[in-house]
Amino acid sequence: MADQTKTDKLWTPRSVAETKKIYADWADTYEQDVTAMAYATPDRIAAALLAQQPDLGAPILDFGCGTGLSGVALARHGFTAIDGTDISPEMIAHAKAKTGPDGPLYQSLWLSDPEILSVKRAAYGTIVATGVISLGAAPPELLDELLDTLDVGGLLAFSYNDPTLADTAYTGALAAILKTGKATQVFREYGPHLNAKVTGSDVLVLRRL
């Protein structure tokens, strides 16, 4: 799945079952494929988060962790207390194999139910959702739901790729959150997501108010 013709199919509306099948079929070659496409967003999000969260031991939830590339990026930037969750058991199997200097990369790792948000309120002060809230993946409402699990001052770091930025449902969800004052945008920067022939992305960090 390492060419644009195939990746274009990712960013179209589909059912949860179809999404799970895509990632079940892709799990074993996912990292090889996205690395070949210069997948930049995990490191961009980790760097943006570091500027807002200097406590490297603060608990972080890698929501939609996939095979663990986002967790690897967070660890590379010095974060040490990372948990992860995903809806794909095949992807999580790869995340479980990731290790850090002191053992498993993820302190806790669990399979999510896509119909129920399995995050307790105030369990995390920081949530990362790399490429998760996007066209063809999680719906725009998830942005609001994840913010609701954060206490005042909590951080949500996420990305909107080009197809998602072109969808008013997603940009409208963000605009509504900022307009109502539920959160403030403390970082936003456009840059590479996959290589220039595929798509760029906005990396954003919101602080819960």
Side-chain angles (χ1 to χ4, degrees):
M1 192 180 263
D3 62 76
Q4 185 174 358
T5 301
K6 292 179 180 179
T7 54
D8 281 347
K9 296 177 183 178
L10 292 175
W11 302 309
T12 56
R14 66 173 58 83
S15 69
V16 171
E18 290 170 323
T19 298
K20 291 176 75 172
K21 185 178 188 310
I22 285 174
Y23 287 100
D25 293 343
W26 197 10
D28 287 344
T29 61
Y30 174 82
E31 292 191 19
Q32 175 184 340
D33 290 345
V34 297
T35 298
M37 291 186 285
Y39 187 31
T41 300
D43 274 297
R44 291 178 57 218
I45 284 182
L49 188 59
L50 184 60
Q52 304 296 327
Q53 174 53 282
D55 181 0
L56 298 179
I60 296 177
L61 176 62
D62 184 5
F63 189 89
C65 64
T67 63
L69 289 179
S70 182
V72 168
L74 289 167
R76 188 159 46 234
H77 283 75
F79 294 103
T80 60
I82 309 166
D83 291 346
T85 186
D86 199 274
I87 67 170
S88 168
E90 294 82 6
M91 301 288 270
I92 279 185
H94 288 272
K96 284 181 178 178
K98 296 288 189 299
T99 58
D102 300 315
L105 175 66
Y106 291 99
Q107 295 184 347
S108 178
L109 196 59
W110 72 91
L111 186 65
S112 295
D113 181 340
E115 304 300 325
I116 302 171
L117 186 62
S118 55
V119 184
K120 293 181 179 179
R121 180 170 172 77
Y124 298 94
T126 302
I127 297 175
V128 168
T130 305
V132 175
I133 308 168
S134 68
L135 187 64
E141 294 79 16
L142 180 60
L143 189 63
D144 202 52
E145 293 171 1
L146 288 176
L147 280 170
D148 281 341
T149 71
L150 295 171
D151 275 344
V152 172
L155 296 170
L156 174 60
F158 63 103
S159 60
Y160 275 178
N161 60 24
D162 286 340
T164 303
L165 288 167
D167 189 314
T168 56
Y170 287 90
T171 55
L174 174 60
I177 284 167
L178 298 177
K179 183 177 180 180
T180 60
K182 175 177 281 191
T184 185
Q185 182 176 286
V186 295
F187 181 89
R188 184 166 186 170
E189 182 179 73
Y190 186 80
H193 177 56
L194 300 172
N195 67 44
K197 294 181 180 180
V198 183
T199 177
S201 69
D202 269 359
V203 161
L204 304 100
V205 182
L206 303 184
R207 187 179 297 276
R208 182 77 158 88
L209 298 176

